Amino acid sequence: MACPVRISALHYLVFLSHLECSSCGLRHDWLHLQNLCTACRKPLFEKSLWRYRELLPLPAGEEPVSLGEGGTPLLRAKRFADEVDLWIKDESLNPTQTFKARGMSVAVSMAKYLGAKKLAVPSAGNAGGALAAYAARAGLEAHIFMPRDTPRANIIECRELGAHVDLIDGLITDCGAEIDRRKEKEGWFDMSTLKEPYRVEGKKTLGYELAEHSDWQLPDLILYPTGGGTGLIGMWKAFDEMETLGWIGQKRPRMFAVQASGCAPIVHAFEAGEEFAVKVPNPHTCASGLRVSKAIADFLILKILRQSDGGAVAVSDEEMICVAREVGAREGLFVAPEAAACFAALKALLAAGKIASGERVVIFSTGSGIKYLECYGL
Ligand SMILES: *Cc1c(COP(=O)(O)O)cnc(C)c1O
């Protein structure tokens, strides 16, 4: 069986390119002692997820391929659930409006550094958009294979970002198979999630930001909309790294994978006590990011859910769409159905008494609803 490759050691590459004003964006030389912005007297930050550059793979001195990804807000929920201390990590503010940007920034940076010229990815939608953007930024070719019923916004986005787009009559696994068949002859580098070691490195910055924004106290519980599981696996890796660095202690959040009823291989495997998931024959859900019938890293996801004393929850499309409006009206966030699934799962877990009142819960709102207008009745 092919297993995902990942970095096993921590990298302590000290690297800093510049400081940037948190207000006006003016760049400052880090080689000089700096306090506030020399123009507007506001604080200077290193912006984007590359703030954690010492913990990311790109060698020092190489310029990352960046569009300002990461550094998203952790918002305190105002009205959605009073019983718990709910926080929302709003990933819709990333370039291309989803958290796929995190993985692709690091993966495209590494692919470019290592000499790749043509990048290919099978995508349910958002990975394609993110690859198209970062490949364009890097001056590389992007070849994107998506199921024909991918949300229109994703298809148009890829095209307008200059990618080569192929629509396949089939599922994301069929898209992956097509790339496998042709990649050698075409000279494509396969950027599929977890078949490539660095997307998970970009996604792990979710864990670093979460800890940093919570004063290095991780929450009691995390709800994560799980397709391939890259973010869940990445965060778990980040927690271990941070413990090694002495930034956090041994406590871990209970990790919950949230999936769609029409495609819930992890939920089924978790409930059956299995180590691996069984491929879902006819996956269907409008939450395209969750339409992954068999995740290559299913065993890693399941291990994390069990180790953390977490769980797995399936949510129907009807519930997602219904809850999305509640989130919109109560919190001011137009969320992707994947994110809406987490809010519905929170309700289900509360109703089942699996979350104690007052516990601190974080939902990863992985994308914007604006990319899913078909789901919301366009
Ligand atoms: C891809 C995607 C997911 C699933 O992410 P994984 O890390 O593959 O599990 C969730 N939400 C959105 C909006 C996505 O695009």
Side-chain angles (χ1 to χ4, degrees):
M1 196 187 75
C3 295
V5 186
R6 63 180 194 180
I7 302 176
S8 58
L10 283 173
H11 291 245
Y12 300 95
L13 307 169
V14 177
F15 183 92
L16 185 58
S17 63
H18 64 277
L19 294 165
E20 195 169 277
C21 177
S22 57
S23 176
C24 76
L26 185 71
R27 288 182 168 212
H28 293 67
D29 185 355
W30 71 272
L31 280 169
H32 291 102
L33 285 168
Q34 303 276 9
N35 289 119
L36 296 172
C37 174
T38 51
C40 71
R41 313 304 300 163
K42 295 287 193 304
L44 296 173
F45 285 169
E46 253 197 298
K47 262 178 99 179
S48 93
L49 61 77
W50 292 97
R51 161 177 181 70
Y52 305 105
R53 170 142 201 178
E54 296 84 347
L55 301 150
L56 293 170
L58 193 68
E62 291 297 319
E63 191 187 345
V65 182
S66 174
L67 290 162
E69 55 292 321
T72 59
L74 182 65
L75 303 168
R76 176 100 205 252
K78 293 289 185 194
R79 274 171 290 276
F80 184 82
D82 298 333
E83 310 91 306
V84 289
D85 183 17
L86 177 61
W87 295 78
I88 305 162
K89 182 79 169 149
D90 184 9
E91 288 291 300
S92 71
L93 293 170
N94 276 299
T96 68
Q97 295 78 51
T98 78
F99 76 152
K100 290 290 192 297
R102 291 182 187 265
M104 285 302 181
S105 175
V106 177
V108 172
S109 294
M110 284 304 287
K112 181 178 185 186
Y113 170 65
L114 295 169
K117 298 279 183 263
K118 301 175 182 183
L119 310 178
V121 80
S123 172
N126 293 323
L131 177 65
Y134 286 92
R137 187 81 176 166
L140 305 176
E141 273 181 34
H143 296 264
I144 294 159
F145 291 78
M146 297 192 277
R148 197 169 293 282
D149 58 355
T150 297
R152 293 293 298 163
N154 294 122
I155 298 170
I156 296 168
E157 171 184 48
C158 291
R159 189 185 68 204
E160 296 303 318
L161 287 164
H164 301 263
V165 180
D166 269 298
L167 298 180
I168 302 283
D169 292 308
L171 305 166
I172 187 168
T173 40
D174 301 306
C175 296
E178 178 76 6
I179 292 176
D180 265 344
R181 251 196 310 280
R182 292 173 55 189
K183 64 185 177 193
E184 206 160 319
K185 184 162 156 279
E186 304 274 4
W188 295 337
F189 179 64
D190 189 347
M191 300 286 279
S192 298
T193 191
L194 290 157
K195 285 189 196 168
E196 177 289 332
Y198 301 117
R199 281 175 64 181
V200 69
E201 290 295 303
K203 288 270 188 86
K204 85 179 180 188
T205 57
L206 288 169
Y208 281 96
E209 286 182 17
L210 179 61
E212 187 174 2
H213 294 171
S214 322
D215 214 10
W216 309 102
Q217 303 292 320
L218 296 178
D220 299 307
L221 201 122
I222 283 176
L223 296 172
Y224 181 85
T226 306
T230 322
L232 190 102
I233 295 164
M235 268 192 276
W236 199 251
K237 182 170 190 280
F239 298 157
D240 285 348
E241 291 176 358
M242 285 189 282
E243 188 183 342
T244 306
L245 290 165
W247 294 359
I248 63 167
Q250 287 179 346
K251 183 187 171 233
R252 296 287 182 275
R254 288 155 65 206
M255 307 290 281
F256 283 81
V258 180
Q259 298 200 299
S261 312
C263 183
I266 298 295
V267 179
H268 298 317
F270 182 82
E271 287 173 353
E274 299 291 343
E275 190 187 348
F276 296 96
V278 177
K279 185 176 171 182
V280 173
N282 282 308
H284 54 90
T285 169
C286 75
S288 47
L290 307 184
R291 217 182 319 155
V292 179
S293 54
K294 166 90 177 145
I296 187 168
D298 51 0
F299 62 104
L300 295 176
I301 301 169
L302 288 159
K303 206 157 74 179
I304 292 166
L305 302 183
R306 292 189 174 116
Q307 261 182 22
S308 73
D309 193 25
V313 182
V315 173
S316 73
D317 279 24
E318 294 72 31
E319 288 172 275
M320 291 177 208
I321 299 307
C322 181
V323 168
R325 188 172 295 183
E326 209 177 305
V327 177
R330 293 193 174 175
E331 303 295 344
L333 299 169
F334 180 24
V335 298
E338 292 87 343
C342 292
F343 286 89
L346 171 62
K347 286 188 170 207
L349 289 168
L350 280 168
K354 294 201 173 146
I355 303 178
S357 81
E359 280 198 292
R360 186 150 54 93
V361 178
V362 171
I363 283 179
F364 281 87
S365 186
T366 46
S368 167
I370 215 82
K371 298 190 94 174
Y372 296 80
L373 293 183
E374 292 99 331
C375 301
Y376 293 115
L378 175 73

